[in-house]
């Protein structure tokens, strides 16, 4: 049975991804910073909850140790936890605002991947899915036909561009692990104020990458329609 660990899985895209993977037969471990919400989410799915704050080294290491003690290994890691960060006039952004976004969206991916890689390498078919965004794509944010070109989110967009590049570089270096990035698209979540397609539709690209076979792709950036421009 495939064992999957998902960060930020107590709500929205993370929760929907967890639900879909449980339905697909995965043993899912719900990772979340909020213990109360995380436990409730896990209970609703028939999954197990592990507290994790992706900005805290000790929390991430403790989460990996917990999974090692209970599951022993994982086959799939979904780095889903993320924040939108400050939104408003660009001249008001501070270095602290940028640091806060990067710590969750980018450094958090590195922190969690580093801690869970030994558990992934116990799998015969290890997979990492990083949840990125079309807002981090030069091609999509510069295309007037794309919704991404209609928004200015410098902090979030820069962080997601970094996530996509991290994905390609990790895919190149980790020859034994499939590493891909998923774009959920404009999804009706807290981030978008409820604007966009359904969470079920948004989770499709994440679920697709989390269920690839041994001959599946690596180093790809996709949404539910296919490969995206970078």
């Amino acid at each position: 049975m495939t064992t999957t660990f998902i960060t930020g899985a107590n709500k929205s895209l993370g929760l929907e991804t967890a639900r879909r993977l449980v339905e697909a037969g995965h043993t899912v471990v719900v990772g979340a910073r909020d213990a109360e919400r995380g436990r409730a989410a896990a209970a609703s799915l028939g999954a197990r909850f592990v507290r994790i704050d992706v900005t805290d080294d000790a929390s991430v290491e403790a989460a990996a140790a917990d999974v090692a003690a209970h599951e022993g290994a994982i086959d799939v890691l979904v780095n889903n936890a993320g924040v939108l960060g400050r939104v408003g006039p660009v001249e008001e952004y501070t270095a602290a605002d940028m640091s806060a976004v990067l710590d969750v969206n980018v450094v958090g991916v590195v922190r969690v991947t580093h801690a869970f890689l030994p558990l992934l390498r116990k799998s015969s078919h290890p997979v990492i899915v990083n949840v990125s965004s079309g807002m981090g794509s030069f091609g999509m944010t510069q295309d007037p036909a794309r919704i991404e070109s209609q928004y200015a989110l410098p902090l979030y967009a820069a962080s997601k561009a970094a996530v996509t590049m991290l994905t390609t570089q990790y895919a190149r270096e980790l020859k034994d692990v499939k590493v891909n990035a998923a774009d959920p698209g404009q999804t009706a979540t807290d981030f978008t104020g409820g604007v966009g397609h359904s969470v079920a539709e948004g989770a499709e690209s994440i679920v697709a990458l989390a269920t690839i076979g041994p001959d599946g792709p690596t180093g790809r950036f996709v949404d539910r329609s296919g490969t995206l421009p970078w």
Side-chain angles (χ1 to χ4, degrees):
M1 183 174 288
T2 301
T3 300
T4 300
F5 184 84
I6 307 172
T7 65
N10 63 296
K11 64 177 183 176
S12 190
L13 285 164
L15 179 60
E16 177 64 14
T17 298
R19 184 187 69 78
R20 295 271 290 277
L21 292 177
V22 167
E23 289 181 351
H26 288 215
T27 295
V28 172
V29 181
V30 169
R33 183 176 57 179
D34 187 305
E36 183 177 352
R37 292 181 180 178
R39 289 192 185 96
S44 73
L45 299 171
R48 194 173 78 83
F49 166 69
V50 171
R51 186 183 180 279
I52 185 169
D53 178 347
V54 303
T55 68
D56 183 84
D57 287 341
S59 174
V60 172
E61 289 166 6
D66 186 303
V67 173
H70 287 84
E71 284 75 28
I74 62 170
D75 303 285
V76 182
L77 171 64
V78 180
N79 285 309
N80 168 71
V83 295
L84 182 61
R86 185 170 183 171
V87 177
V90 69
E91 59 268 23
E92 295 181 3
Y93 296 151
T94 67
D97 293 330
M98 184 78 251
S99 293
V101 174
L102 292 176
D103 198 22
V104 178
N105 293 2
V106 183
V107 181
V109 170
V110 175
R111 189 177 279 120
V112 174
T113 300
H114 175 75
F116 279 81
L117 195 55
L119 297 176
L120 279 165
R121 283 188 158 142
K122 293 181 179 181
S123 170
S124 60
H125 172 42
V127 171
I128 297 173
V129 182
N130 295 325
V131 179
S132 190
S133 170
M135 286 301 302
S137 161
F138 293 162
M140 295 164 73
T141 55
Q142 300 301 313
D143 182 353
R146 297 285 314 203
I147 190 67
E148 290 82 3
S149 69
Q150 307 305 309
Y151 294 95
L153 298 169
L155 306 185
Y156 179 76
S159 75
K160 289 304 185 179
V163 169
T164 304
M165 183 54 75
L166 269 178
T167 300
T168 66
Q169 295 298 305
Y170 271 51
R172 180 172 294 175
E173 291 292 310
L174 301 177
K175 305 296 187 184
D176 55 334
V177 184
K178 305 290 187 184
V179 190
N180 294 288
D183 172 25
Q186 188 180 40
T187 306
T189 66
D190 294 347
F191 278 20
T192 66
V195 176
H197 53 228
S198 69
V199 173
E201 291 174 296
E204 286 181 9
S205 59
I206 307 171
V207 172
L209 289 175
T211 55
I212 59 173
D215 297 325
T218 192
R220 297 268 307 279
F221 177 38
V222 305
D223 67 4
R224 60 198 179 103
S225 299
T227 303
L228 296 172
W230 297 10

